[in-house]
Each structure stands twice: as C-alpha cells, then as structure tokens.
C-alpha cells in the first residue's frame, strides 16, 4: 500500500487487527469507557463492512475507516487552528484530565465543560467571564469540530504538542 503524508504505512494483517482490537478492548475497559465503545460495537461495524464472498478481511475496513477519520480530522483542524487560545485549552483540558476521553459525536463539548465546572445554566455565568465566552464558542461547533478538539486534547494529555495552537 502507499504511504500517507510521507509516513511509512505498515499494512495490517488479520492477526494484527485482532491484537489491536483486543488491546483496544482492554484499554477501553481499563479506562471505563461507556458501553457504546465496547469491542462488540466495533466488531459489529467491521463485520458489516467485510466480505467473505470477495475475500475482504476486516483489516481492510479498519485501515479505510482510520484513514478517512484522520483525513476528516486534519481537514477540520485546518479551520480550527488559532480559533482557540491556550487559556481556552486550559479550560477544556481541565474539564477532562485523562488521555482517553469519554466522548462521542452526540455529546457537546460545551455541555461536558459546563458539567465539569458545575454550570447548570449559561445565564448563571457573567457574560464577560472567559468561561461564558468559551462555552458560547463551543456551542456553535459541529460534531466534527468537537471531534477535532477532543483529539487535540487527547494528544496533549498523551504528551504531544497541541496541534491547534
């Protein structure tokens, strides 16, 4: 297979995918990720995309889905770079102090941040308060933009530089 963005691409075989899924299941259960993120959900998704008739194993859709996901994140990240300050990221990072976030596209980061800071109603926070301004900015983000912020924060918690600053 070809390389992605000049990085060496190592094709996955069925055994590698099995080990990857097993390791992901162990990591997710260790970090108490919600039931929606269990190995069974992922396995069902992969089964729906492989083809025994055409000899397409589950590692093909894993690689395809991963490549598509990261391309979407990279594209959306270009539009988010510089839109949030270091102080904004401090608020966001302190709302979830973990390298693996419990987030899915139906969740709003604004709601997660508000919950973390004990805010039940945005009206209860002064309009000029940086947290109020930040929450208003989070409220208008799309699910993809939320995913980009989650990914950036997870990267920071894993010791990488913030890709959006």
């Amino acid at each position: 297979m070809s390389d992605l963005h000049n990085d060496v691409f190592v094709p996955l075989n069925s055994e590698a995918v099995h080990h990857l899924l097993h390791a992901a299941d162990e990591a997710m259960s260790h970090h108490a990720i919600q039931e929606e993120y269990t190995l069974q959900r992922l396995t069902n998704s992969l089964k729906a995309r492989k083809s025994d008739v055409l000899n397409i194993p589950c590692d093909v859709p894993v690689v395809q889905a991963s490549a598509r996901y990261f391309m979407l994140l990279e594209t959306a990240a270009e539009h988010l770079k510089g839109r949030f300050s270091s102080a904004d990221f401090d608020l966001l990072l302190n709302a979830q102090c973990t390298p693996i976030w419990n987030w899915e596209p139906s969740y709003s980061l604004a709601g997660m941040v508000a919950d973390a800071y004990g805010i039940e109603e945005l009206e209860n926070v002064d309009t000029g308060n940086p947290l109020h301004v930040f929450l208003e900015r989070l409220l208008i983000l799309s699910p993809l933009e939320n995913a980009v912020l989650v990914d950036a924060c997870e990267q920071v918690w894993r010791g990488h530089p913030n890709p959006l600053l």
Side-chain angles (χ1 to χ4, degrees):
M1 293 190 153
S2 65
D3 61 18
L4 298 174
H5 300 289
N6 297 324
D7 292 331
V8 175
F9 180 79
V10 179
L12 297 175
N13 60 32
S14 296
E15 182 180 348
V17 170
H18 173 74
H19 289 298
L20 179 64
L21 294 176
H22 180 70
D25 185 43
E26 284 183 18
M28 288 185 291
S29 64
H30 175 72
H31 291 284
I33 302 297
Q34 289 187 343
E35 190 172 324
E36 290 93 7
Y37 288 91
T38 62
L39 180 62
Q40 189 61 47
R41 182 177 178 187
L42 181 57
T43 301
N44 290 343
S45 294
L46 291 173
K47 283 180 184 177
R49 288 163 175 81
K50 73 176 194 159
S51 173
D52 293 332
V53 174
L54 298 175
N55 294 322
I56 298 174
C58 69
D59 52 332
V60 172
V62 166
V63 171
Q64 286 178 319
S66 296
R68 289 176 186 142
Y69 172 74
F70 289 113
M71 283 187 271
L72 284 170
L73 288 183
E74 288 174 16
T75 301
E78 289 302 316
H79 300 286
L80 286 178
K81 279 186 181 174
R83 285 181 46 191
F84 294 96
S85 68
S86 183
D88 291 333
F89 274 102
D90 287 345
L91 291 170
L92 190 53
L93 290 164
N94 286 320
Q96 289 284 325
C97 299
T98 179
I100 299 175
W101 285 29
N102 183 11
W103 180 87
E104 66 177 63
S106 65
Y107 295 165
S108 163
L109 285 180
M112 183 191 75
V113 170
D115 289 345
Y117 288 95
I119 298 169
E120 292 187 26
E121 299 288 333
L122 189 56
E123 295 80 33
N124 296 343
V125 182
D126 292 335
T127 306
N129 184 313
L131 186 54
H132 185 279
V133 173
F134 181 57
L135 288 170
E136 284 183 326
R137 293 174 66 210
L138 289 177
L139 282 169
I140 62 170
L141 297 178
S142 70
L144 179 57
E145 291 170 323
N146 275 262
V148 170
L149 288 177
V150 167
D151 184 68
C153 289
E154 287 177 334
Q155 287 184 55
V156 170
W157 277 115
R158 293 173 186 161
H160 300 283
N162 189 326
L164 298 177
L165 290 179

